[in-house]
Each structure stands twice: as structure tokens, then as C-alpha cells.
């Protein structure tokens, strides 16, 4: 029965190495209020936090533990504790809220978040303030793992491991008996029976539809109903999540506030618009419902008016896991609910319309229908949702299911279905008028329809993306967008323009001449204007006036006969100056002061898009006045011809500074959250700023930088070199995604349908197009509606496996010296792009292409998914590929070939996560059984277990709304910790696989039989699992001070042991835990067995008929920072002073430095602890022996030789004093539980 040591798998050192490097940096440069950062052990960080309390400076000694150093920082969690008990309650109460916030962050970022959060907690009351945040609302957040992630399963299993009858010990008896609470805790006590029934029915209906339900406050007064769903369940692809700034573990939350008591849908639909008595807001949260303060603040109009799209690189602000976060289209959705929701619902019922028909009718009539004869066109409007690859939960329509009768429909459910329709499908709708956008192409980002009024409101109200946010986060993408627009305008190919936003521009001399791709010709037009009749009938340019100008003092001097014209200028206006003789191009100024006859101008902005050689540009005269022609910004952009509009766009873009200058300005002039390019008044004109915003806002694709620019001083490095394609070193690379939010899923569906079972389901191919076309491509996607180079091989999107073929097309009419000798391009560009091409993933079915040779011609757009955008640039960028990169296996017959005529290597990250092969050693739960509603996402079903137990358990107060008043028969309370309890029915309890059941499910027919979760070879051990007599072992209830953080870590450790014993033969493992005997995560019973028969202990056990040594392990709420208390329960061992050994004290406690503060490490595993104890008992120098050798008799050893916990405590403390070891501070909080005199521990 020899015991074999376990061989543990080796882990990568990359995360650990990065952890040490980051720790070194944080040690030298800690954030504000933090000092003395150091490490005491691998994964442990200690530091001091300094704060002011009652006018005195205080310091809190804190400890941060990285739980997964090997996977740092991307799959790492932290725990934070105080190193001693002398810490402010405000700080201590913030610890658990901090853990989800700092997950997956670097050490520096984690410490910064900790400093910020603790500062706010100390200075503003923080989470300890019962008015600001009720205890019931301090909920745990979803740790961000995807469906099926092992960590999530362990989180939810906490529910299975607590005593059903311990409500009182956890403080629930009092809370259940107490009366209604104010803000933060739901109350149903005062509601009338009829109202109560209606509320319960409505909420149950929403829950049964798959949503999470919460109630905040008193619904009889000013309460809030919360309905939510995890973003991961909405069928949104990874690319869309990035484009929309979302996280899969967030909840989409809809709040309904009832100022005067709960209202039904039937009463609400009679209103023309939602009034103050009933309000609806949407947002995001990391919990299924926000805390009370955050929820009520969401309805504050001042707060709402200041809320816009989340910004990057803003000062850190305390964000609790239960805080509401702004949604990128939250403002349009809130206005849609306020102004139209009630009428849309009413019209659906009255006129039997679909959502689409009712929405269009409300928009067209503004709710006042005068001609019912026109209803036919609205009847014909259908939602066409059956064609979409979205989860049924997103497409569900309870009103349609009830045959358009709304009387008994749930208001929360209908509102949520309406909200999801406009959230998940936001690209289908105009963000202003909310009608279908009418676009013939699909987009990844939402925008407005073609109505100029909608564009005006979109720009004027700040609904769209922030220019500043884009520049700060993706500066080179902004450069790319400007360059594409510039080249297309230069080629006269622009089809859409920024009309309706009140742009005023000058009409300059060269506007009157046809487009040319020749730089020399363009230069001539700038320098030799010839105002004649316009080529398209537009009025010729006409200067406003000609006056002397001083290029040194920057002022205009009006002669006496023209002084009146000075009054045409006002401070803040922009003016354009030209001179055919004295300088080249155009000079722009902002008017700073008008004091006739003199006008003071701001700094000059020199724009000359015609010359690439600065040495050939005429310098400005440096003394005296000379005459210039002046052109005012007075012409309405909307009224100009398309030709003039394109030239005006070019002229305004010529005035925009380089992106790096704008980035530097934003970084150095940021004041709170008000950093804006609008403040750079003397450098960027309003016309140029509006055009820039239009360029950014109208981009409908997701473009993310892969390469980094060499020597880019001051530019933000957001590169992702691990995503780089090999073999294309001449090109700078960007990740590129297009299409509607469900486009990725439709592509996946096509791949499965057309290539099921194929080893190579997709292939990769290049698409090249002249630079002048890319402004349109990134807005409209790849399509074949227009013909640019002929269609000799049929209609479809033309692609090639050869990059050289596609580059031949992409180089036509390029800028910056492209093959076609094209236009000069945007001269302020950092990239200086000369050509572009995309790499696309295509369904690998060439036989069904329109043509497969010499080019791929694909007519089915859903068969194509863009993956990369590559641009040839003069900027020096990163090259090559990472040393270690997992790549996609390409079809040998259809490999994508790079510029060097070798097959390119494409990183596995280019395809969606659901299609990536599992990593070696990656754990995957293949047999997990749950109630499920199909989401359309492979590997990510919409799971309904306690609504969403992958995350936060539903609070008891919310469960109360879903239970019958008459009886709770058949419902069992499951206690998580002192703040959380849920109620589950027997059916739901059966659906929750306990660790034991789940372990059995996961077993894949091992060679050895499995007995009670243990792989047993009876030829090699006499141990039989499940036979332990528990009659003389005291099982304790969960401790009253249990914490969710400790419970979570204990559960993970417990599951790790169960997995180990399910796959390792018992005689090799040497220990056993019976999961049926564990009722409390803070008390474990472990059996050590199968000792080597050469040692005295094994021989004594054989004589006594004992097959195992029974240990008890007790944990405190400080785990994993404090060690467990481990003692032998039975049999009794020979004391040390009588010749015994094995590190077992006279009272049965295990005497090891490892189990004291001196030797314990928070990263120590319980499995290693058991191994150390077992080795200690097996050592030969001072072997362990049973007490039966010295007077007890083996019969007593086998029958009742049980240690008391009191004697074990005394022995443990005595041993610690003798060796100079420190007893853990939390040791005193353990329960004695054996009837002996209480020591309060």
C-alpha cells in the first residue's frame, strides 16, 4: 500500500515573471496614499494606506493577494485584507466591493483603484453608510467568466454547502421578522392584496421569460422595479462588445420607478408620454440590480444630462460592483421610453401592429392619427426577426404571443423586450427618430438615418461618440479615418455629406475647378485661382474683401474706405486668407479682437495640401503689411453643390492638426471630464470640428490597432502585437470587424451549415481596392452593388488568396506616392497611407462560389467576415510576429499567401472564441445539465438556474415577490453568508449539481471503479470510502462572521480536492473527503489512509483495525490569509513525551510551523497541507504511533479514542509558545463546539 507522491502539472512562468516586474515598478512608484509596497511571499503584497480620520492621520496595514499569479494579469483575481484588526470600518467594508473591480488588473492599476476607492469610502461615507448603501445592496458581482467557466461553477456552488436551518446564526431571523425598511430594501408589506397580486404576477412573468428581477424601495410609494439580463446572453459577438465598450459579465439593466405606487401596462399605455409618476431608465451594472443610491441617482435629471459615453483615461472614480454604469446609447433609449413607449404599446393593440409598424406610425403622426385610410402601409410592416441569428430571448414578443392584447401583459417584461429590441439591434434604428434607418447595408455601430434633422440633433445633442474619447483611445484609427475621407473627397467620390448640422465654410478660389489627381495641377489652382463659371453651375468664389495683412503681428488693417467691412467680423469667427503672389495655399485665423480699423487675429493655421516638399513652399513675409484676399466662413454647407462640399471638406481637413497634437492637447488641458477640442478655439474651427466628428461618428465598423509605431512620441500605445499576421511586414495592421451585431453569428451558422465536419471549415482571402474607396467600405461593408474594375468573373465580392493580386488593385490612384501617382492625401497624417487591403475569413466552399479561379468571387455576403485591415504607410511600425503565437491551421489547398509569396500565419485570436480549439489542459465541463434557452451562441447557452446563478444569488427580499403568500412549502433556504439568502424549490435544488454529483457526471469511465467519488483499487488499499462513523464527531453550523470572499476561496479549494480524488487512485493520493459529510465550508472532515506498511503508524493501524486517521480542519473568515486549524479527531496518538511523533501534540493538534502565522502563505493549497501532514506522520526519525501501544489498548483506539477540541486548542497554543510561533489573530473567533468551557474562539 505504498504511497506515491503526486506529480503536479508545470505552469507557465510568463505570468509570474510579469507579476514580479510589475511589483517592482509599483514598489518604486506607488499611487497616492499608498506606501511601503513590498512582497512577503509569491503572490502576496503588503502595503500601508494613509488616510485622515477625526482630523488625525492614520495608517492601515493592508495585504493584497493575487490568487492566480501564473495567469496574471488576464485571469487573475485578488483578495484584500487588513493585516491587523485596527482598521476603520469604512475601509474594511470596502474590501469585498473592491475584489471584482480590481480583477484582471495589473498591480499598479489595482493599487490605484484601491487608493481611489478607499479615499472615497473614507471621505464620503462609502459603503459603510447605511443611508447611501443598504446592507442588502452590497452584493457580490459576477467575476466576468464566460458560460461554462469553472470558476463560475464554483461560485454558484457556495449555495449547496450551508445548513438549511441556520438562518438565525446568519442574522436572517431578525431581518425576516422586521418591518419594511426604507431606501435600499424592498418592501411589500403595505401593498393592497390586489396590487400585491398584480406585482407578483408581473414579476413572475418576467422571471419565467429568463430575466433577473429586483425591487428597490417601497413599491407602494416611490419604489423601483429592476429587470436585467447578462450581456453574455444576448448573442453579441466579441467584436461587437469591443466596438460598443461592453463587457460580457455586465448586466443590461432596465429600471422602472413608480412615484405613486405600482402601475400596470394597461394603465400606462393610456398616457401620451411617460410622466414623472412613471419613469424608465436603462444602463449597465455588474450586479443583477444596482444599489439603492445608484438606482435613485439614475433618475436624477441633472445626472442624466451630464451622462455621456464612457471616456477612457479619465481620473479614477469609485465604481462599486452594484453601481449603475452609463450605456453608450443610454440617452437615446431613455428618451425613446419617455416620449414614445406608451403610445407605441397602445397603437400595437388598437391597430394590431408589429413593433415596427407601431413605431413608424407614432413617428409619422406624433400620436395624432387623422387618416385611418393610411393604416395599410403600417399593417404591412413586419419585424422580420425570424431571419436574424439572435437568441430567442432577444426576439421574444409577449404582446404578439397574446394576440396583441395587453391587458394582462407584464409591464416589466414588455418594457424589457422593447428595450432589448432597440439595444441589441441598435444599428437597425436611427438614434434620433428611432425608426428603422433604411440603410441598405449593415453596420457594427449605430448612427442616424438620412434625415438631415436627425444628423443635426445627433451632433448638437452630443449623442454620438466623443471625438476626444476616440483620439485618446485609438489615435491611429482616427488618423486612418481622416485619411480615407480625405482621399475619397479628393477623388470626387464622396456620396454622403454632413448636412443638417449648420456648417458654415468659405468658398475658396480653387473650389471652382474640377477634381484632379495631379499634385502639380492642384498646386497651380491654389496659387493661381481663376474664378470663372463653376463646372457644375455653382456660383463662382467671391472674396469678402482685400485688405493689408501683417504676418508677424497677425492683424488686418482696414483702409478708411473699407472700415465698415471690419464690422462683418466678430470675435470667434474664422477667416481664410489667400495671396497669389506672397504665399502658397491658404492661411486661416481666428478673430480675436475687432477694433476698427484694426482686427487682431489668432495664431496662423497654414494649409497647403498641394506640395510634399516644404522647401518649395513660399515662406510668409516677415515684415510689413501686404494685401491679402479674405474669405469669410459665411456659406451654408448644405446649399453647396456636391463638388463644392467635397472641396470644402478637403479645405477644412487641411486645417485640422495632426492627431498626435490633438492627443497631446487633450492630455495637457484635461480638466476633470471636460477635456474637449472645442476649447482649442484658436486652432480648430467649428466647421473643421464638426466635419471631424462626422467622420468619426459615421464610421460603422470596428477598427482596432494591432501594430505599434516606432518612435511615436506622446502617442498612446494600444497595440496588440499578439494579433499580428506574419508575412506582411510592409503593412501596418488593424483588426477589422463589420456587419450587424448578429453578423458574426450568421457567419458561424453558415460555416456550420456548409462545411459541417470539415477539418478546414473556412479559408482566408485578400480584398484590395483603391484608397479612394475605403471611406465607403468601412461604412457600407464589402458588397457588390457597384462595379469599379469590371466583373469578368461574375457578380460578387472579388477576393484572392494572393496578397500580390489584391495589392495590385489597392495601389490604384493611391495617395502619398502610390502606384497611381495619386493625390497628395491628408498632409497632417502620421501614417501617410498609400494603399489598403483587407484579410477576410470565408466559408470554405469554393465549389459554391460564383468563381474560384483566378479570383474568388463570392455572392453570399454572410459567407464573408472581415478580420484585418492592412495599410501601407510611410511610418515605421512593428514587424514580424511574437515568438510564441497559436495560429490557425489553413486549408493546404487554399492558403492565404503574403507579399513574400509565403503562406501567412494568422493568430487564433482572429476568429471568435466559440470556434477556437481548446487549449491543452484547459478544463471543460462537458456534461453540465441545466435548464436552457438557446442563445444561438455555440458554447454559450442562455442558462436559467435561479435566474442566473453564474453570478449573484437573488436576494431574499426579491425572492419574496416571487413566492406565494399562503405558504412556502417546498422551498428551502440556502445561506450564502450573513448578507445573502435565496429560496429554491425542490425541483431547482435537484437541478443544482452538488460537487459530488457533478464530479460523478464528469467522470469518463475510469479504469478503476469509483466509490463515493474515490478511485478505488482494493488490491492496493484496505481503505473503504463512505464508512466513517460520524456519531462521535461534532458538525458545526456555519460561523456568524462568515464572509463571501472566504467562502468563495474555500469552495474553490474544496472543489480542487474533489477533482484530485476523482482522477487519482486512492492508494496514491492517501487522503479522502466525503462530500456528503461537508455541511459547512468552514469545517472539513478528512481521512488520511493507505500509509506505507513499513512505518509504525501503518502497522499500529493494522493491529487496531483502523483504516484511516480522521482529521478536522477549521477555517476562519480570514482564509486564505490565515491558516486552518488542523487536529486529529481519532484515533488517539502516542504523546511526544511518551515516545510518539509525527507532529501530533498530546491534545491531537497538528504541530507544524506551516499552520501558524510564521509559516503560512496565502498561496498555500490545502492539498499541499494534507501532503505535508501525511509526510510528517510518515517520517522515520520520530515516527507517529497510536496510543494503544501504551495502555489504551487497540480496542479502545478503534472504538472510541476521540480527542476533544478543547485539549487540541490548549496543545496548539502551548506548542506555538514553545517554538516562538505566532497564533493567527482570527484563531480566537473559532467555535469550540464540544461542550467544554467556551473560550470564544
Amino acid at each position: 500500500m505504498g504511497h506515491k507522491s503526486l506529480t503536479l502539472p508545470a505552469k507557465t512562468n510568463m505570468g509570474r515573471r510579469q507579476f514580479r516586474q510589475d511589483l517592482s515598478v509599483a514598489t518604486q512608484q506607488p499611487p497616492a496614499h499608498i506606501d511601503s509596497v513590498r512582497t512577503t511571499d509569491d503572490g502576496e503584497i503588503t502595503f500601508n494606506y494613509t488616510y485622515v480620520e477625526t482630523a488625525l492621520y492614520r495608517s492601515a496595514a493592508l495585504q493584497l493577494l493575487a490568487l492566480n499569479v501564473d495567469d496574471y494579469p488576464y485571469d487573475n483575481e485578488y483578495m484584500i485584507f487588513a493585516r491587523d484588526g485596527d482598521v476603520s470600518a469604512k475601509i474594511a467594508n470596502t474590501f469585498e466591493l473592491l475584489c471584482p473591480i480590481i480583477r484582471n488588473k495589473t498591480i499598479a492599476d489595482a493599487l490605484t483603484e484601491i487608493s481611489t476607492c478607499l479615499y472615497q469610502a473614507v471621505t464620503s461615507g462609502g459603503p459603510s453608510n447605511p443611508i447611501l448603501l443598504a446592507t442588502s445592496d452590497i452584493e457580490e458581482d459576477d467575476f466576468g467568466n464566460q458560460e461554462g467557466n469553472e470558476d463560475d461553477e464554483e461560485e454558484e456552488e457556495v449555495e449547496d454547502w450551508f445548513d438549511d436551518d441556520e438562518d438565525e446564526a446568519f442574522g436572517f431571523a431578525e431581518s425576516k421578522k422586521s418591518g419594511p425598511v426604507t431606501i435600499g430594501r424592498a418592501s411589500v408589506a403595505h401593498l393592497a392584496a390586489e396590487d400585491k397580486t398584480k406585482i407578483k404576477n408581473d414579476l413572475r412573468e418576467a422571471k419565467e421569460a429568463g430575466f433577473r428581477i429586483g425591487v428597490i424601495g417601497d413599491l407602494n410609494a416611490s419604489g423601483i422595479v429592476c429587470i436585467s439580463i447578462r450581456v453574455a446572453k444576448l448573442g453579441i459577438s466579441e467584436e461587437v462588445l469591443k466596438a460598443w465598450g461592453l463587457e460580457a459579465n455586465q448586466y443590461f439593466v432596465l429600471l422602472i420607478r413608480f412615484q405613486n405606487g405600482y402601475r400596470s401596462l394597461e394603465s400606462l399605455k393610456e398616457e401620451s408620454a411617460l410622466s414623472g409618476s412613471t419613469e424608465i431608465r436603462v444602463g449597465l451594472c455588474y450586479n443583477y440590480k444596482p444599489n439603492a443610491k445608484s438606482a435613485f441617482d439614475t433618475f436624477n435629471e441633472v445626472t442624466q444630462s451630464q451622462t455621456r459615453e464612457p471616456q477612457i483615461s479619465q481620473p479614477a472614480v469609485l465604481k462599486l460592483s452594484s453601481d449603475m454604469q452609463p450605456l453608450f446609447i443610454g440617452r437615446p433609449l431613455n428618451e425613446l421610453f419617455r416620449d414614445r413607449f406608451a403610445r407605441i404599446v397602445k397603437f400595437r393593440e388598437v391597430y394590431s401592429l408589429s413593433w415596427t409598424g407601431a413605431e413608424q406610425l407614432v413617428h409619422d403622426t406624433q400620436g395624432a392619427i387623422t387618416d385611418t385610410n393610411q393604416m395599410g402601409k403600417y399593417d404591412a410592416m413586419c419585424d422580420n426577426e425570424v431571419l436574424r441569428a439572435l437568441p430567442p430571448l432577444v426576439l421574444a414578443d409577449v404582446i404578439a404571443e397574446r394576440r396583441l392584447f395587453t391587458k394582462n401583459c407584464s409591464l416589466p417584461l414588455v418594457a424589457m423586450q422593447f428595450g432589448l429590441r432597440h439595444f441589441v439591434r441598435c444599428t437597425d434604428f436611427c438614434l434620433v427618430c428611432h425608426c428603422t434607418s433604411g440603410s441598405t447595408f449593415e453596420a457594427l455601430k449605430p448612427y442616424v438615418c438620412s434625415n438631415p434633422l436627425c444628423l443635426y440633433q445627433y451632433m448638437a445633442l452630443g449623442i454620438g461618440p466623443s471625438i476626444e474619447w476616440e483620439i485618446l483611445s485609438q489615435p491611429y484609427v482616427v488618423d486612418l479615418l481622416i485619411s480615407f475621407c480625405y482621399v475619397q473627397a479628393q477623388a470626387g467620390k464622396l456620396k454622403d455629406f454632413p448636412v443638417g448640422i449648420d456648417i458654415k465654410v468659405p468658398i475658396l478660389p480653387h473650389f471652382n475647378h474640377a477634381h484632379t489627381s495631379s499634385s502639380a495641377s492642384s498646386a497651380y489652382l491654389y496659387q493661381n485661382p481663376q474664378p470663372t463659371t463653376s463646372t457644375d453651375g455653382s456660383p463662382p468664389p467671391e472674396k469678402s474683401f482685400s485688405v493689408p495683412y501683417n504676418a508677424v503681428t497677425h492683424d488686418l488693417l482696414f483702409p478708411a474706405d473699407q472700415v465698415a467691412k471690419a464690422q462683418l467680423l466678430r470675435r470667434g469667427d474664422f477667416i481664410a486668407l489667400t495671396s497669389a503672389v506672397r504665399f502658397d495655399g491658404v492661411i486661416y485665423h481666428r478673430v480675436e479682437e475687432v477694433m476698427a480699423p484694426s482686427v487682431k487675429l489668432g495664431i496662423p493655421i497654414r494649409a497647403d495640401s498641394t506640395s510634399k516638399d516644404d522647401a518649395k513652399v513660399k515662406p510668409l513675409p516677415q515684415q510689413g503689411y501686404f494685401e491679402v484676399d479674405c474669405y469669410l466662413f459665411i456659406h451654408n454647407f448644405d446649399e453647396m453643390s456636391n463638388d463644392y462640399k467635397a472641396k470644402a471638406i478637403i479645405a477644412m481637413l487641411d486645417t485640422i492638426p495632426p492627431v498626435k497634437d490633438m492627443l497631446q492637447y487633450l492630455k495637457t488641458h484635461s480638466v476633470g471630464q471636460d477635456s474637449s477640442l472645442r476649447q482649442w478655439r484658436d486652432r480648430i474651427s467649428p466647421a473643421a470640428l464638426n466635419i471631424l466628428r462626422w467622420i468619426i461618428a459615421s464610421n460603422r465598423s470596428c477598427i482596432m490597432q494591432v501594430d505599434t509605431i516606432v518612435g511615436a512620441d506622446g502617442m498612446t500605445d494600444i497595440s496588440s502585437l499578439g494579433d499580428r499576421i506574419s508575412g506582411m511586414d510592409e503593412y501596418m495592421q488593424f483588426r477589422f470587424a463589420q456587419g450587424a451585431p448578429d453578423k458574426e453569428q450568421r457567419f458561424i451558422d453558415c460555416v456550420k451549415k456548409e462545411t459541417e465536419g470539415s477539418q478546414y471549415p473556412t479559408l482566408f482571402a485578400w480584398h484590395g481596392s483603391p484608397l479612394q474607396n475605403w471611406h465607403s467600405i468601412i461604412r457600407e461593408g464589402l458588397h457588390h452593388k457597384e462595379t469599379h474594375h469590371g466583373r469578368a468573373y461574375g457578380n460578387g465580392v472579388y477576393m484572392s488568396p494572393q496578397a500580390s493580386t489584391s495589392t495590385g488593385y489597392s495601389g490604384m490612384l493611391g495617395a502619398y506616392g502610390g502606384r497611381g501617382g495619386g493625390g497628395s492625401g491628408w498632409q497632417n497624417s502620421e501614417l501617410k497611407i498609400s494603399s489598403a487591403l483587407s484579410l477576410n475569413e470565408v466559408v470554405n466552399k469554393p465549389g459554391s462560389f460564383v468563381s474560384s479561379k483566378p479570383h474568388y468571387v463570392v455572392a453570399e455576403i454572410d459567407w464573408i467576415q472581415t478580420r484585418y485591415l492592412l495599410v501601407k504607410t510611410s511610418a515605421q511600425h512593428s514587424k514580424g510576429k511574437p515568438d510564441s503565437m497559436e495560429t490557425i491551421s489553413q486549408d493546404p489547398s487554399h492558403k492565404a499567401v503574403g507579399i513574400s509569396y509565403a503562406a501567412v500565419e494568422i493568430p487564433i485570436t482572429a476568429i471568435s472564441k466559440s470556434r477556437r480549439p481548446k487549449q491543452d489542459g484547459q478544463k471543460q465541463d462537458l456534461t453540465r445539465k441545466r435548464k436552457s434557452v438557446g442563445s444561438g451562441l455555440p458554447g454559450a447557452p442562455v442558462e436559467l438556474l435561479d435566474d442566473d446563478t453564474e453570478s449573484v444569488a437573488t436576494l431574499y427580499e426579491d425572492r419574496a415577490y416571487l413566492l406565494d403568500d399562503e405558504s412556502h412549502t417546498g422551498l428551502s433556504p440556502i445561506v450564502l453568508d450573513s448578507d445573502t439568502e435565496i429560496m429554491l424549490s425542490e425541483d431547482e435544488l435537484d437541478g443544482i449539481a452538488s460537487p459530488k454529483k457533478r464530479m460523478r457526471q464528469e467522470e469518463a469511465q475510469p479504469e478503476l471503479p469509483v466509490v463515493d467519488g474515490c478511485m478505488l483499487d482494493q488490491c492496493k488499499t484496505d481503505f473503504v470510502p463512505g464508512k466513517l462513523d460520524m456519531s462521535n464527531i461534532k458538525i458545526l453550523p456555519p460561523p456568524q462572521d462568515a464572509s463571501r470572499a472566504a467562502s468563495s476561496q474555500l469552495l474553490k479549494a474544496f472543489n480542487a480536492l474533489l477533482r484530485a480524488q476523482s482522477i487519482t487512485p486512492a492508494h496514491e493520493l492517501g487522503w479522502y473527503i466525503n462530500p456528503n459529510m461537508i455541511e459547512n465550508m468552514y469545517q472539513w472532515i478528512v481521512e488520511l489512509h493507505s500509509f506505507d506498511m513499513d512505518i509504525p503508524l501503518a502497522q499500529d493501524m493494522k493491529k487496531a483495525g483502523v483504516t484511516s486517521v480522521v482529521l478536522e480542519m477549521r477555517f476562519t473568515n480570514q482564509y486564505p490569509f490565515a491558516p486552518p486549524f488542523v487536529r486529529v479527531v481519532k484515533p488517539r496518538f502516542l504523546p511526544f513525551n511518551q515516545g510518539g511523533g509525527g507532529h501530533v501534540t498530546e491534545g491531537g493538534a497538528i504541530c507544524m510551523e506551516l499552520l501558524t502565522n510564521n509559516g503560512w502563505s496565502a498561496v498555500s493549497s490545502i492539498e499541499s497541507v494534507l501532503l505535508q501532514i501525511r509526510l510528517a506522520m510518515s517520517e522515520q526519525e520520530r515516527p507517529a504511533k497510536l496510543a494503544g501501544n501504551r495502555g489504551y489498548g487497540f480496542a479502545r483506539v478503534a472504538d472510541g479514542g476521540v480527542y476533544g477540541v478543547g485539549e487540541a486548542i490548549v496543545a496548539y497554543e502551548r506548542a506555538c509558545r514553545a517554538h516562538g510561533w505566532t497564533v493567527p489573530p482570527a484563531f480566537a473567533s473559532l467555535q469550540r463546539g464540544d461542550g467544554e468551557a467556551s473560550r470564544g474562539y
Side-chain angles (χ1 to χ4, degrees), residues 259-392:
Q259 291 281 47
N260 302 315
Y262 186 81
R263 300 180 64 191
S264 67
L265 182 64
E266 184 71 13
S267 65
L268 190 72
K269 72 180 184 182
E270 298 305 321
E271 298 185 0
S272 59
L274 296 187
S275 60
S277 62
T278 306
E279 299 174 275
I280 298 179
R281 297 285 189 273
V282 296
L284 300 169
C285 188
Y286 288 98
N287 276 312
Y288 78 92
K289 77 172 184 179
N291 62 65
K293 180 182 182 302
S294 180
F296 280 97
D297 283 349
T298 302
F299 290 89
N300 184 302
E301 291 300 330
V302 175
T303 303
Q304 286 297 305
S305 65
Q306 294 174 348
T307 301
R308 63 174 300 132
E309 180 175 343
Q311 304 288 297
I312 290 180
S313 302
Q314 294 294 341
V317 179
L318 174 63
K319 289 294 183 183
L320 304 180
S321 63
S322 56
D323 270 349
M324 280 286 281
Q325 310 284 343
L327 182 67
F328 73 107
I329 56 167
R331 183 172 177 177
L333 284 185
N334 291 337
E335 292 175 353
L336 174 63
F337 272 109
R338 182 193 66 199
D339 299 334
R340 302 189 182 186
F341 174 65
R343 284 179 294 165
I344 290 172
V345 171
K346 179 177 181 178
F347 286 1
R348 286 204 67 186
E349 182 177 46
V350 173
Y351 299 106
S352 301
L353 300 175
S354 65
W355 280 123
T356 302
E359 289 164 355
Q360 190 64 48
L361 177 60
V362 169
H363 174 263
D364 292 347
T365 64
Q366 296 301 308
I369 300 175
T370 59
D371 185 4
T372 56
N373 294 325
Q374 299 296 320
M375 296 301 300
K377 68 176 183 179
Y378 302 107
D379 292 335
M381 294 180 180
C382 60
D383 295 325
N384 289 327
E385 294 173 340
V386 70
L387 302 177
R388 306 187 66 90
L390 290 171

Side-chain angles (χ1 to χ4, degrees), residues 52 78 147 397 440 489 503 557 616 670 767 776 817 953 1058 1117 1200:
V52 177
Y78 292 98
E147 267 43 288
D397 182 358
T440 56
I503 296 178
L557 186 61
K616 296 180 180 180
S670 176
H767 176 78
S776 295
L1058 292 183
N1117 63 3

Side-chain angles (χ1 to χ4, degrees), residues 7 58 126 180 286 375 485 492 535 552 629 853 919 988 1186 1241:
T7 302
R58 302 183 184 277
Y286 288 98
M375 296 301 300
C485 179
T535 57
V552 178
D629 295 333
K853 291 182 179 180
Q919 301 279 343
E988 288 177 306
L1186 294 188
Y1241 90 104

Side-chain angles (χ1 to χ4, degrees), residues 487-502:
V487 174
Q488 190 167 73
Q490 201 171 44
K493 299 293 186 180
L494 276 179
K495 295 179 289 186
D496 297 309
F497 298 92
V499 296
I501 56 178
D502 195 28

Side-chain angles (χ1 to χ4, degrees), residues 134-162:
T135 304
S136 65
D137 290 308
I138 305 179
E139 307 158 8
E140 297 301 320
D141 104 320
D142 181 345
F143 287 113
N145 299 309
Q146 297 291 329
E147 267 43 288
N149 187 296
E150 185 176 280
D151 291 342
D152 281 339
E153 297 166 21
E154 292 166 350
E155 282 295 321
E156 99 184 35
E157 288 166 13
V158 175
E159 300 168 7
D160 292 330
W161 295 102
F162 292 96

